[in-house]
Amino acid sequence: MLGEPLLVGTLMQIKLEESVQQTQVALFANGFTMQPQQGGKMVNRAWSPFSLVEKCQVKTLQHSAYWAVFKLTVFRAGGHDLCLYFACTGGNAYKERDRWVEKIGTLVSQVTVSLFPVSDIQVQPLPGNEATRTRILAGFLLHGSAMDTCQLVYAELHAYSAGESKLTLYRDAWCDRELSTIGLSESTTVSTRSGVYCNVFGIDHHRFCARNGDEKDLWLRAVSNVKVKLMFEAPDPTIEEIWVFRQSVQERVSLLAGDAEPPSNGALLLEVTNKPPRSPTGDAMDPAPVEDPTPLSKPALGGSGDVAAGPEADAGAKLKEPAPAPTVPTSSPVVPHAPALPHVEGSVVGDPVPSIPEEAPKDDASLQEAELLPGEGSVATRLPRVRAAGRLREDATHEAILQSAALATQAAHDLETDPEVATEGGRSAQDSQKLRLPPRRQPIEGLEVSEKALECIAVCTGAQPRALEPRQNFAI
């Protein structure tokens, strides 16, 4: 309890269908205490904004003038409300009851106001926020939660449209984080309680608490008007009609501004911090990074320090064995000697920068005679050679066809004059043609064109082509 007790006295606590006992009650700024006179445990309770203080009538004919009963109800989420009955006795019972009821209502009101920030009720939508376009009333409310707690929310009542409306709850007045939405229809239940003090009203099973009684009446009137429009199936309001709704609410808000109570220095109730949801790594503020099970390959040259960026960052200071220098295959293109690279920040200390071994340059003839099998070497290396081989193959095929045609014509002419001479002439011509074949320069990929060329020669000369072996190319 905060400070000194503001009111202390002996009241009769009535437990329905149980007992009636004298109790020492003390009222404080943030709560009250109850201590039974005949011995028992002291009970401390904080003031709840969701409270109702009301006077009760005693239904007895005997000694009714000496009993003045009042009731303190604390509304809870789920419907399990707390009800406490107290009675003042004696000749001044009614005056004492009025004093207790008034003091309790004042203290609960102060606690309620201390939970609200300095903010006025708004009716105009926020610029740039399309979700607030149909707003007709917006302001802070206390929303009842479980476990005797309440949450401060920013509620926004929208105009009816398409037979329904809604009450949107946001985290703050910026309306950028929506907490929940309560749908309003013709069957929505709107409720409140009347008593000496009660700022609580309900929408279906949701319970809200306003800053004071005037704001509660304003919210009830606005929600009730929307429900009446939905009950009678009113057409969707136009922009001008929504403007009229806002003007009516604004006139009422201007009357409430002068009656607003000044806020206190701080909240009179304990603040409950919402704990973050549990994560796989626990609630640590700076958890260790999750390591990738895939092993990392060390780069050939000094990089940006990715290897030493994990939990084993300190291991970079240890000297490691130098990696063996890569060997260049004979079928790969010749790479000139690379100059020494400077040390790159972030590389492992002590690791030498591998260099590419220098090789003697090869002449063009050796490059032309080098065997290049299909799928061997890089694309940049194979592409020029494939193109050159294609051109040579086309030229050789065309020349072979012309020569074969000439041989066939000569053989037919010799056959007319002398068959034996023609045969010898054909053989000598074939031998000389074989000698005049172009030398082997480039390996040729693909066997389709070569087979077609052999078929052409076989048709013209009558010779039988030989079967080609795989991965072997021939220049015809």
Side-chain angles (χ1 to χ4, degrees), residues 119-121 137 210-219 249-261:
S119 177
D120 297 331
I121 294 180
L137 177 62
R211 190 193 308 265
N212 48 49
D214 294 335
E215 290 191 6
K216 181 194 75 171
D217 296 339
L218 178 61
W219 279 99
V249 176
Q250 186 62 43
E251 292 177 0
R252 184 60 181 174
V253 172
S254 61
L255 298 177
L256 299 179
D259 299 336
E261 300 179 9

Side-chain angles (χ1 to χ4, degrees), residues 147-162:
M147 302 298 294
D148 287 335
T149 59
C150 60
Q151 183 181 15
L152 182 67
V153 297
Y154 192 81
E156 181 182 51
L157 178 62
H158 294 262
Y160 56 92
S161 177

